[in-house]
Amino acid sequence: MPIAVLAAYAAPALFLAALYLPLFTYVTPFYAAERGVSLAALGAAWIGIRLFDAVSDPAIGWLSDRTPGRFGRRRLWLAASVPLIIVATWQAFVPPAEAGIEHAVFWLFLLTLGWSMAQTPYAAWGAEIAPNYQARLAVTSWREATVLVGTVVSTLLYVAGGEGGGGLSYVAVGVGIGLPLAMALAFWRVPDPPRAPGAAAGGLDWRRALSTLGQNRPFRQLIAAWLVNGAANGLPASLFLFYVTDRLGAEDAAGPLFLLYFLSAIAGIPLWNRLARGSEKHRIWGWAMLYACAVFTAVLFLGEGDVVAFGVITVLTGLAFGADLTLPPAIQADVIAYDTATTGAERAGIFFALWQVATKAALALSSGAAYIALDAAGFVAGGPNTEEALWALTLLYAGVPILLKVGAVALMWRFTLDRSRLESLGAA
C-alpha cells in the first residue's frame, strides 16, 4: 500500500488518541481534586456512560455499514463527529468553576458519543482499504503507531499546561485545531473502496447480523480476550496518577514516566510486527502479554521513592504495549475478512462497533470498580493514606491486571483462525 495513503489514513488517529489519555487518566483526578466531585460518583458515572455505549456503538456500526452516498459511508460519520467532539472536549476539559457531577456527566456523555461516531467508522474504513493479511497488519501498525504519537503529544500538552486544569485546556485546543485538518487530509487521500463482488450493503438486517456474529467462533474468542486484556490495561491507566503520586511519592515524575512508557511502545511496534510476519499474530500477542505480566510483577514490591526501578519497569512494559495496540486490531481485520468470505456480507462497521463496546466496557467497568473500591478502602486522592489503603491501590494497579492478562492469554492461545485457514478461503 502507498505510504502516502497509510499516513493520510493514520492522521486522524493522532488527535482522536490525544483525547484518550486525558479522558481516562487526567479528567477524573481533576474533577475530584479541583471540583470536589467524589470518586464513587465519577466511577458510577463512567459505568452508566459505558452502558449506553453498549447500545449506541453497535447502532452506529450497523448504520455506517448501510450508509449510502457518493461522499462515502465512513466519511459521512467521521465528518459529523468532528464538531461534536470539539465542543464536548472543551466543555468537559475546561469546565466552569462551579461545574460539578452534572456538568461532568453531561459533557463526558456527549464526548464519548462523538468519539463513537468517529472511532467505529474509522476503524472499519481501515479494514476495508487493506487488501490482504500483511496489508491489514500494515494499516493497523500505522494507525496504532500514530495513536501512540498522539498520546505522547497529549502528554506534552498536558505537562506544558501546568496544574489546575491548564494541561486539559491545552489538549482541548490542540484537538480543536488538529482534528478537522487531519480528517480533511484523510478524506482527500484515502479512497472509499468499492464493495467486494457479491457483497451486500450492510450485509444482513441487525437481528441476523448479531445472530451470525454469535456463531463466529474466532470473533467470540477474540472479543473475549480483548475485553479481559482491556480491563487489565484499563486499571493501570486509570490509577497511574494515584500510584505515582501517593504510592511512590513522585508526582513530578508522572509526566516523564508517561512519555517514557509511550515512547517505549512506539519503539516496540517494529519488533512485534517483525515477529508477527514470521509467525501467527495471535501467538505473538500471547507471548507479549506473558512477558508484560512477568515484568509488571515487580511493581508489587515497590514503595515510596522507588522511581528509578519503576522507570525501568515502565520501559519494559511499554515495549509490550506496542503489541497490545497493533496485533489485536490486525487479527480483528482478519476476522472481518473471514466473515465476508463465509457470509458474503460487508459489515466491518458492526464488528468494530462491538470491538469499541468491549474496549470501553473494559476500561469503564475496571476503572469505575477501582474508584469505588478505593473509596471503600478509605483512599484519599492527594491526601494522607493508611498503609492498607495504599496496598489496596497497589493490588488494583498491578496485582489484578496480571491475573486478567493471564486469562486473556488462555483465551487466545488456541485461536482458531490462522493464516492457512484464511488462505484456504481466499481471504489472506
Side-chain angles (χ1 to χ4, degrees):
M1 296 184 66
I3 297 296
V5 173
L6 289 168
Y9 168 73
L14 192 151
F15 299 97
L16 291 172
L19 289 171
Y20 183 89
L21 189 65
L23 187 59
F24 294 112
T25 302
Y26 299 139
V27 166
T28 294
F30 168 76
Y31 276 98
E34 302 290 337
R35 296 296 186 267
V37 180
S38 77
L39 282 175
L42 288 165
W46 275 120
I47 291 173
I49 289 170
R50 291 311 179 218
L51 288 174
F52 176 79
D53 282 339
V55 176
S56 64
D57 280 20
I60 290 169
W62 185 75
L63 288 170
S64 73
D65 283 337
R66 306 173 75 88
T67 299
R70 289 185 300 175
F71 188 62
R73 59 190 186 280
R74 311 304 179 190
R75 289 190 182 97
L76 186 64
W77 286 87
L78 291 168
S81 72
V82 171
L84 180 56
I85 289 173
I86 291 173
V87 173
T89 298
W90 182 261
Q91 291 292 336
F93 286 15
V94 194
E98 68 277 7
I101 185 64
E102 296 85 0
H103 180 96
V105 170
F106 179 76
W107 288 107
L108 289 173
F109 166 77
L110 288 182
L111 176 53
T112 55
L113 177 61
W115 203 7
S116 295
M117 290 172 60
Q119 284 288 98
T120 298
Y122 179 60
W125 194 14
E128 289 165 345
I129 64 174
N132 56 50
Y133 188 86
Q134 289 300 333
R136 291 190 282 271
L137 183 59
V139 169
T140 57
S141 296
W142 271 82
R143 184 181 65 224
E144 301 307 325
T146 307
V147 164
L148 291 172
V149 173
T151 305
V152 170
V153 169
S154 72
T155 302
L156 292 172
L157 289 172
Y158 183 81
V159 171
E163 300 178 354
L168 289 173
S169 68
Y170 274 42
V171 173
V173 171
V175 170
I177 295 173
L179 183 59
L181 295 176
M183 285 292 187
L185 175 63
F187 293 166
W188 175 43
R189 294 305 306 267
V190 182
D192 187 48
R195 298 190 185 279
L204 308 167
D205 67 74
W206 68 270
R207 294 181 186 84
R208 290 185 60 207
L210 292 178
S211 173
T212 55
L213 287 180
Q215 298 166 14
N216 186 324
R217 186 182 176 191
F219 175 72
R220 295 199 312 270
Q221 285 181 281
L222 181 60
I223 201 166
W226 180 250
L227 179 66
V228 174
N229 187 61
N233 290 338
L235 282 168
S238 303
L239 301 177
F240 178 84
L241 284 181
F242 295 142
Y243 182 82
V244 172
T245 300
D246 295 282
R247 185 61 171 173
L248 299 183
E251 182 178 4
D252 292 341
L257 286 168
F258 258 131
L259 286 175
L260 194 61
Y261 181 75
F262 291 110
L263 288 172
S264 299
I266 294 171
I269 287 177
L271 167 65
W272 301 115
N273 281 358
R274 181 176 293 275
L275 292 173
R277 283 197 293 269
S279 182
E280 298 294 343
K281 297 170 189 172
H282 69 277
R283 193 55 58 85
I284 298 301
W285 184 33
W287 283 116
M289 289 190 283
L290 289 174
Y291 157 75
C293 289
V295 173
F296 212 51
T297 303
V299 172
L300 298 171
F301 302 98
L302 301 183
E304 186 171 357
D306 291 333
V307 181
V308 174
F310 186 70
V312 174
I313 295 168
T314 297
V315 171
L316 296 177
T317 54
L319 291 171
F321 188 56
D324 268 349
L325 284 175
T326 58
L327 297 181
I331 299 169
Q332 175 74 321
D334 292 336
V335 170
I336 293 169
Y338 166 78
D339 176 75
T340 300
T342 54
T343 69
E346 282 196 347
R347 45 192 178 146
I350 196 165
F351 269 99
F352 278 104
L354 295 174
W355 182 263
Q356 290 297 325
V357 169
T359 301
K360 294 174 183 178
L363 185 54
L365 293 173
S366 61
S367 60
Y371 295 145
I372 293 170
L374 282 179
D375 192 68
F379 178 81
V380 179
N385 286 288
T386 65
E387 189 62 25
E388 290 77 11
L390 291 176
W391 262 111
L393 172 63
T394 300
L395 291 174
L396 287 167
Y397 179 77
V400 177
I402 290 170
L403 296 176
L404 290 170
K405 270 194 179 289
V406 171
V409 173
L411 288 167
M412 282 300 293
W413 199 253
R414 296 187 182 277
F415 187 59
T416 56
L417 184 63
D418 57 16
R419 191 194 309 250
S420 62
R421 190 174 180 192
L422 285 167
E423 288 174 347
S424 69
L425 294 169

